[in-house]
Amino acid sequence: MAKEKKLVESITARDEDFAQWYTDVVREAKLCDYSGVKGCLNYLPNGYAIWENIQSNLDKRFKETGVENVYLPVLIPESLLQKEKDHIEGFAPEVAWVTHGGTEELQERFCIRPTSETLFCDVWSKTVQSYRDLPKVWNQWCSVLRWEKTTRPFLRSREFLWQEGHTIHATYEEAEERTLLMRDVYKNFVEEDLAIPLVTGKKTPSEKFAGAQDTYTIEALMHDGKALQSGTSHFFGNAFADAFDIKYSDKNNELHSVYETSWGLSTRIIGAIIMVHGDDSGLVLPPHIAPVQTRVVPIAQHKEGVLEKAEELLANLKAAGYRVEIDKSEKSPGWKFSEQEMLGIPTRIEIGPKDIENNQVVVVRRDTREKIVVSLEEITEKLTEILETIQKDMYRKAKAFLDSHIHTVLTMEDMVKTAQEETGFIKAMWCGDEACEETIKEQTGGVTSRCIPEEEEHLSDVCVCCGKPAKHMVYWGKAY
Amino acid sequence: MAKEKKLVESITARDEDFAQWYTDVVREAKLCDYSGVKGCLNYLPNGYAIWENIQSNLDKRFKETGVENVYLPVLIPESLLQKEKDHIEGFAPEVAWVTHGGTEELQERFCIRPTSETLFCDVWSKTVQSYRDLPKVWNQWCSVLRWEKTTRPFLRSREFLWQEGHTIHATYEEAEERTLLMRDVYKNFVEEDLAIPLVTGKKTPSEKFAGAQDTYTIEALMHDGKALQSGTSHFFGNAFADAFDIKYSDKNNELHSVYETSWGLSTRIIGAIIMVHGDDSGLVLPPHIAPVQTRVVPIAQHKEGVLEKAEELLANLKAAGYRVEIDKSEKSPGWKFSEQEMLGIPTRIEIGPKDIENNQVVVVRRDTREKIVVSLEEITEKLTEILETIQKDMYRKAKAFLDSHIHTVLTMEDMVKTAQEETGFIKAMWCGDEACEETIKEQTGGVTSRCIPEEEEHLSDVCVCCGKPAKHMVYWGKAY
């Protein structure tokens, strides 16, 4: 009993201390923990299973657009990392260096990949010759390492898991199209399968990826009103192609530089799932991505016939293709409910002697706690409908939260006041000058430009900060 | 035309120079290539797609036995690697050391994981307390790095992809059972899905994994008569548990050490697929694991209706669940055939004006080149049958080759003669003394003990080498 008691006591209320609540959920749902390697995480079975579902879902979407998977080395020679100047400036301060192999000191240092643009370019510079070799649309699922000072589960750690797509194309237009296509793939995946509504757009130059011409981002809003950059798609123009001398000959035998893109989404997104959907009872997982969609909980399981019927139900649900499990432990139903809720399993199915008598089960939704009585004959069919309703309702709820946390400001005074009194995104006009971004950040205590949306609204003619003519409408916000 | 010509000219005959043939197939089938990072490979789309199919197939088999996937850090602190003495002795000479993070020199060095026993033990030493926490049956798909001096595609490289399973158990028996279960999972997978027959058994002490009490192995025979260790399953007893202090309290609150296992299979197995099944026309992939199972090749595709009909066929096959593609390029049918054969695609389906007239297609098997005329109505059904026949025939052929390359010897003279004149496995009795293994290796020019099979035959009473009483029958062979 001591252990069970701990389970419930140890969760901080979400609105009391959001950061502590987050840490508690990650720990109690056993998603990941700090490893003995400073700054690195152990991705435990419950957390990794979410990542596996994200991987298989996203990988399918990638392949439908013609993506091929590859795997390039974990090490990058220092000379290779240095070929593109903006890129090395961005990454050199935060890479880990390998200096010895076995007992030998190496002639050239290698870094552990912080991202792999340089490796992909190196392969292509040696193998691409003709327009017939184009495009290359490659992706790899791997881990990368950046020597971060602070660690927060899923949100920031030295090593994290991600996919990094890299592509080269014959024309500017085709590469730009791919950049936007992958932003859309991310957007559709996150909205449809993770039930997380997004604000999307282009990064301002100061927030771009090191070496990119344009960075497109999808930004989600956490329950504490902070933004989380959840996936990015970069258009490089010819920058890497020129640095790495990747040229192709066209049909007339004329040489041209290729155009490049890259795009990535990481285990960070698991942090978004927790912080968008979770509540005071723990994790709430969207059915599309939940490793377990329903947990069968026998009630009064010592009574004759209950366990048999529960096992029969389990087998039927499994056969119907659901991801399902049963809790046959000796714990009381109340404790079993708490555990299922902590793990965020979208539904539980209660089945006890009375239910069996009435030829029914009780489905309890994790998101709303609504109880739905379903006949045993209909459950394998009906459960799909319930899970789909949960998926849609979770999105709708998060969308309503997002919409009610977007504020429009026209003056700097308003900007500062809104940043102090409200949470969420702030829409405001901007002149395009990095100095104004700096001023806003300072005066608001950390509000940064999140993105310039595809469809800009004309809020006013002038920059909210300096009053000079406005170039763009920008979404601003405090961010993770 | 120059490029097409190259395709065919560049393959060395398999029986003329096996090593060169292997390199040629890897290159021309575009499976992988040497990267700019010395000793590391680029796994290209055609090669990585095979690995993806291996992963999903094997992962499903793992999960059916209760395996949970996790991900632990790529870095191991030096002090952690040193905790188990045999283990550090085995691996220290071949790891890469990280000494700097960003611009700072680290207080303690980290190595890039060569294998992760120490990390898994570290997690468990901090989290396992009670018998209720056992067993842990964990696995991770990742890359590992060992500072090898030589590189051969898939067979030996500094970084390679693999899965490493690690488990802990309350009892000796349960851990031993898991060790054998995973050997069986490997064996069934490799025989059923890769169509590669095996010799299996226990390693002699000199060939065991660093730190293991017993190592079980699956050994395949390549077409050149050399063995390839294709997967291993290790039983550690309490060795790591004691070094890492992993103890659990039983129902009576008494403390015990846990028992541990680990098991791994790597991209090396792709080398086995190539070297067991490949021929002078290139790769031959088993249908169960082939990324593409059939390629539709339109004949006289400029003629009216041919391409339409071919596309219709492609769509039907796709809808029926086959992994299928079409070659609509401007190349001649002969060149298209050569390319499909080089890539090892198990079947091609030829469809031309005459076929359409007769409402039929011609299916050509990659393994036997047999042509099978099938009516258009029946093709979606019939193809499954053809692919299954290919799968079985490939296994049968490889099994006949294996069986005809197992030699029994009773004297050292015979051992040396057989090693000189024949290729394949040699069965001979052994006294259990490492000195005899050394003598055999020297006198035969490199024959080593491959394994002690589960069912030993009694060939004679005495060791083939020293004449002292024999303890075991051993499979010997030259190995990759």
Side-chain angles (χ1 to χ4, degrees):
Chain A
M1 286 299 275
K3 243 194 168 167
E4 288 181 342
K5 207 168 173 191
K6 188 168 163 281
L7 176 76
V8 171
E9 270 180 8
S10 56
I11 305 279
T12 305
R14 185 180 55 171
D15 291 336
E16 187 182 297
D17 181 344
F18 191 76
Q20 188 58 48
W21 166 84
Y22 178 77
T23 309
D24 290 350
V25 171
V26 167
R27 186 190 63 245
E28 293 301 315
K30 296 192 176 70
L31 301 179
C32 71
D33 65 15
Y34 292 104
S35 81
V37 186
K38 193 170 175 297
C40 292
L41 299 171
N42 297 323
Y43 295 84
L44 301 176
N46 290 350
Y48 195 79
I50 299 172
W51 183 239
E52 281 184 295
N53 283 355
I54 290 171
Q55 277 190 298
S56 67
N57 187 315
L58 202 50
D59 198 69
K60 192 159 165 270
R61 289 174 183 265
F62 288 166
K63 284 178 178 158
E64 280 164 9
T65 74
V67 173
E68 297 182 305
N69 283 340
V70 299
Y71 183 80
L72 303 190
V74 67
L75 297 178
I76 306 177
E78 187 165 14
S79 56
L80 201 61
L81 189 69
Q82 288 177 335
K83 276 202 170 179
E84 211 286 331
K85 293 302 162 204
D86 290 338
H87 191 68
I88 178 75
E89 265 179 42
F91 282 104
E94 56 175 47
V95 296
W97 291 105
V98 173
T99 57
H100 290 74
T103 53
E104 273 172 51
E105 184 166 357
L106 303 176
Q107 290 190 309
E108 182 183 11
R109 301 196 298 178
F110 295 93
C111 77
I112 297 179
R113 66 178 160 231
T115 180
S116 305
E117 276 76 9
T118 52
L119 288 172
F120 280 79
C121 285
D122 189 49
V123 176
W124 291 327
S125 71
K126 289 168 185 160
T127 52
V128 168
Q129 289 158 356
S130 144
Y131 69 95
R132 284 187 222 90
D133 300 328
L134 296 175
K136 296 284 185 204
V137 183
W138 287 3
N139 174 65
Q140 70 180 8
W141 293 93
C142 63
S143 80
V144 288
L145 201 128
R146 298 172 187 179
W147 213 252
E148 304 277 1
K149 300 283 177 202
T150 58
T151 311
R152 290 204 62 194
F154 299 119
L155 301 177
R156 192 169 298 279
S157 59
R158 285 187 175 164
E159 187 188 17
F160 58 87
L161 299 165
W162 79 346
Q163 58 67 220
E164 49 176 321
H166 300 269
T167 74
I168 48 172
H169 306 266
T171 65
Y172 187 104
E173 292 70 28
E174 191 185 299
E176 200 179 37
E177 204 177 291
R178 172 57 68 171
T179 314
L180 294 170
L181 173 64
M182 299 322 289
R183 177 208 58 192
D184 289 344
V185 167
Y186 289 149
K187 179 175 154 65
N188 295 339
F189 166 67
V190 172
E191 293 194 338
E192 291 165 13
D193 294 317
L194 306 186
I196 297 177
L198 297 167
V199 161
T200 67
K202 204 186 264 198
K203 286 284 181 192
T204 60
S206 66
E207 296 274 333
K208 275 187 324 188
F209 182 79
Q213 179 171 324
D214 287 316
T215 288
Y216 295 87
T217 181
I218 58 170
E219 303 270 330
L221 191 65
M222 305 300 100
H223 186 79
D224 65 346
K226 278 197 200 163
L228 187 80
Q229 178 179 306
S230 303
T232 45
S233 185
H234 315 293
F235 175 64
F236 291 107
N238 296 131
F240 276 92
D242 289 342
F244 283 81
D245 197 27
I246 314 176
K247 290 196 165 57
Y248 72 96
S249 56
D250 66 14
K251 289 185 184 177
N252 306 318
N253 253 332
E254 278 168 27
L255 276 180
H256 303 276
S257 288
V258 301
Y259 295 86
E260 194 182 358
T261 85
S262 80
W263 24 277
L265 181 144
S266 78
T267 35
R268 198 164 212 232
I269 200 77
I270 297 176
I273 297 173
I274 301 167
M275 291 195 286
V276 168
H277 299 303
D279 63 22
D280 284 348
S281 302
L283 200 57
V284 182
L285 290 173
H288 285 194
I289 219 74
V292 178
Q293 294 171 314
T294 199
R295 183 182 267 190
V296 175
V297 182
I299 310 292
Q301 67 186 37
H302 58 282
K303 293 212 175 152
E304 205 192 317
V306 172
L307 266 184
E308 289 81 347
K309 205 73 188 172
E311 293 274 18
E312 192 187 313
L313 173 65
L314 181 83
N316 288 341
L317 291 170
K318 248 186 207 165
Y322 294 105
R323 301 188 291 274
V324 57
E325 62 184 25
I326 190 167
D327 184 350
K328 292 189 291 183
S329 67
E330 291 298 318
K331 294 164 195 157
S332 71
W335 289 119
K336 291 185 184 183
F337 299 166
S338 294
E339 285 186 347
Q340 168 258 326
E341 289 179 355
M342 180 62 67
L343 296 172
I345 298 170
T347 55
R348 68 169 175 265
I349 302 185
E350 305 174 4
I351 179 164
K354 274 186 197 160
D355 299 309
I356 294 169
E357 216 177 284
N358 295 323
N359 202 36
Q360 68 179 36
V361 294
V362 181
V363 181
V364 186
R365 286 174 58 163
R366 170 65 184 91
D367 61 331
T368 58
R369 288 208 173 67
E370 188 193 346
K371 293 186 173 207
I372 305 159
V373 176
V374 181
S375 82
L376 264 167
E377 280 79 31
E378 288 179 327
I379 182 64
T380 51
E381 198 177 319
K382 189 85 179 171
L383 188 57
T384 300
E385 203 181 303
I386 296 172
L387 291 171
E388 276 310 300
T389 305
I390 295 174
Q391 183 80 28
K392 285 203 184 74
D393 285 355
M394 285 177 69
Y395 179 79
R396 249 196 299 266
K397 189 178 165 194
K399 182 74 165 74
F401 181 85
L402 171 62
D403 289 344
S404 68
H405 286 78
I406 298 178
H407 316 282
T408 300
V409 303
L410 299 175
T411 65
M412 199 57 197
E413 199 190 341
D414 249 16
M415 175 73 117
V416 172
K417 195 160 169 268
T418 307
Q420 278 168 352
E421 296 175 4
E422 308 280 352
T423 64
F425 288 112
I426 300 172
K427 293 196 284 196
M429 302 307 286
W430 175 58
C431 62
D433 193 342
E434 203 175 319
C436 286
E437 286 181 274
E438 273 307 311
T439 306
I440 290 170
K441 192 174 175 182
E442 276 164 31
Q443 296 197 7
T444 55
V447 166
T448 54
S449 69
R450 303 318 308 152
C451 64
I452 303 163
E454 287 78 40
E455 293 181 13
E456 299 180 37
E457 296 163 59
H458 181 80
L459 307 175
S460 92
D461 291 334
V462 296
C463 176
V464 70
C465 181
C466 67
K468 287 185 193 154
K471 276 197 188 144
H472 292 293
M473 189 204 89
V474 170
Y475 277 97
W476 308 81
K478 289 181 184 166
Y480 276 94
Chain B
M1 285 301 273
K3 242 191 172 170
E4 287 180 344
K5 207 167 176 190
K6 190 168 164 278
L7 176 75
V8 171
E9 270 180 9
S10 55
I11 306 279
T12 305
R14 185 179 56 170
D15 291 335
E16 185 182 300
D17 181 345
F18 191 76
Q20 188 57 49
W21 167 84
Y22 178 77
T23 311
D24 289 350
V25 171
V26 168
R27 186 190 63 244
E28 292 302 315
K30 296 192 178 68
L31 301 179
C32 72
D33 66 15
Y34 293 104
S35 81
V37 186
K38 193 171 174 296
C40 293
L41 299 171
N42 297 322
Y43 295 84
L44 301 176
N46 290 352
Y48 195 78
I50 298 172
W51 184 239
E52 282 185 296
N53 284 355
I54 290 171
Q55 278 190 296
S56 67
N57 188 315
L58 203 50
D59 198 69
K60 193 159 164 269
R61 289 174 182 265
F62 288 166
K63 284 177 178 156
E64 281 165 9
T65 75
V67 172
E68 297 182 304
N69 283 340
V70 299
Y71 183 80
L72 302 190
V74 67
L75 297 178
I76 306 177
E78 186 165 16
S79 56
L80 200 63
L81 189 70
Q82 287 177 335
K83 277 202 169 181
E84 211 287 331
K85 293 302 160 204
D86 290 339
H87 191 68
I88 178 75
E89 265 178 41
F91 282 106
E94 55 176 48
V95 297
W97 292 104
V98 173
T99 57
H100 290 73
T103 52
E104 274 172 51
E105 184 167 357
L106 304 175
Q107 290 190 309
E108 182 184 11
R109 299 196 299 177
F110 294 92
C111 77
I112 297 179
R113 65 177 162 233
T115 179
S116 305
E117 277 76 9
T118 53
L119 289 171
F120 280 79
C121 286
D122 189 49
V123 176
W124 291 327
S125 71
K126 289 169 185 159
T127 53
V128 169
Q129 288 159 356
S130 145
Y131 69 94
R132 285 187 220 91
D133 300 328
L134 296 175
K136 296 285 185 204
V137 183
W138 287 4
N139 174 65
Q140 70 179 7
W141 293 93
C142 63
S143 80
V144 288
L145 200 129
R146 299 173 187 177
W147 213 253
E148 305 277 1
K149 300 282 177 202
T150 57
T151 311
R152 291 203 62 192
F154 299 118
L155 302 178
R156 192 170 296 279
S157 58
R158 287 188 173 165
E159 187 188 18
F160 58 87
L161 298 166
W162 79 347
Q163 58 68 220
E164 47 176 323
H166 300 269
T167 75
I168 49 173
H169 307 266
T171 65
Y172 187 103
E173 293 70 28
E174 191 183 299
E176 200 179 36
E177 204 176 291
R178 172 57 68 173
T179 314
L180 294 170
L181 173 65
M182 299 321 290
R183 177 210 55 192
D184 289 345
V185 167
Y186 289 149
K187 178 175 154 65
N188 294 339
F189 166 66
V190 171
E191 294 194 339
E192 291 165 14
D193 293 319
L194 306 186
I196 296 177
L198 296 168
V199 162
T200 67
K202 204 186 265 196
K203 285 286 180 189
T204 60
S206 66
E207 296 274 333
K208 276 188 320 188
F209 181 78
Q213 179 172 324
D214 287 316
T215 288
Y216 295 88
T217 180
I218 58 170
E219 304 269 330
L221 192 65
M222 306 299 101
H223 186 80
D224 64 347
K226 277 199 201 164
L228 187 79
Q229 178 179 306
S230 303
T232 46
S233 185
H234 314 293
F235 176 63
F236 291 108
N238 296 131
F240 275 93
D242 290 342
F244 284 81
D245 197 27
I246 314 175
K247 288 194 166 58
Y248 72 96
S249 56
D250 66 15
K251 288 185 183 176
N252 306 316
N253 251 331
E254 279 168 25
L255 276 181
H256 303 275
S257 288
V258 301
Y259 295 85
E260 194 182 358
T261 86
S262 80
W263 24 276
L265 181 144
S266 78
T267 34
R268 199 164 211 234
I269 200 75
I270 297 174
I273 297 172
I274 301 167
M275 291 194 287
V276 168
H277 300 303
D279 64 19
D280 284 348
S281 302
L283 201 56
V284 181
L285 290 173
H288 285 194
I289 219 72
V292 178
Q293 294 171 314
T294 199
R295 182 182 268 189
V296 176
V297 181
I299 310 291
Q301 65 186 38
H302 58 281
K303 292 213 175 152
E304 206 191 317
V306 172
L307 265 184
E308 288 82 344
K309 204 74 187 170
E311 293 274 16
E312 193 187 313
L313 172 64
L314 181 83
N316 289 341
L317 292 171
K318 250 187 204 161
Y322 293 105
R323 302 188 291 274
V324 56
E325 61 183 28
I326 191 167
D327 185 351
K328 293 190 290 184
S329 67
E330 292 297 320
K331 295 164 195 156
S332 72
W335 290 118
K336 292 184 183 183
F337 299 164
S338 295
E339 284 185 348
Q340 168 257 326
E341 289 180 355
M342 179 62 67
L343 296 172
I345 298 170
T347 54
R348 69 168 176 265
I349 303 185
E350 304 174 4
I351 180 165
K354 273 187 195 159
D355 299 307
I356 295 169
E357 216 177 283
N358 295 323
N359 202 36
Q360 69 180 38
V361 294
V362 181
V363 180
V364 185
R365 286 173 59 162
R366 171 64 184 91
D367 61 333
T368 58
R369 289 208 171 68
E370 187 193 346
K371 293 187 172 206
I372 305 159
V373 176
V374 182
S375 82
L376 265 167
E377 280 79 30
E378 289 179 324
I379 183 64
T380 51
E381 199 176 320
K382 190 85 180 171
L383 188 56
T384 301
E385 207 177 283
I386 295 172
L387 291 171
E388 276 310 300
T389 305
I390 294 174
Q391 183 80 27
K392 285 203 186 73
D393 285 354
M394 285 177 70
Y395 179 80
R396 250 197 297 267
K397 188 178 166 194
K399 182 74 166 72
F401 181 84
L402 170 62
D403 290 344
S404 68
H405 286 77
I406 298 178
H407 316 281
T408 301
V409 304
L410 301 175
T411 65
M412 200 57 198
E413 199 191 340
D414 249 17
M415 176 72 119
V416 173
K417 195 160 171 268
T418 307
Q420 278 169 352
E421 295 175 4
E422 308 281 349
T423 64
F425 288 112
I426 299 173
K427 292 196 286 194
M429 301 308 284
W430 176 58
C431 61
D433 193 342
E434 203 176 319
C436 286
E437 286 181 273
E438 272 308 310
T439 307
I440 289 170
K441 192 174 174 181
E442 276 165 32
Q443 296 196 8
T444 56
V447 167
T448 54
S449 70
R450 303 318 308 149
C451 64
I452 303 163
E454 287 77 41
E455 294 181 13
E456 298 180 37
E457 297 163 59
H458 181 82
L459 306 175
S460 92
D461 292 331
V462 296
C463 174
V464 71
C465 182
C466 67
K468 288 184 194 153
K471 277 198 187 142
H472 292 292
M473 189 204 90
V474 171
Y475 278 97
W476 308 82
K478 291 182 183 166
Y480 277 94

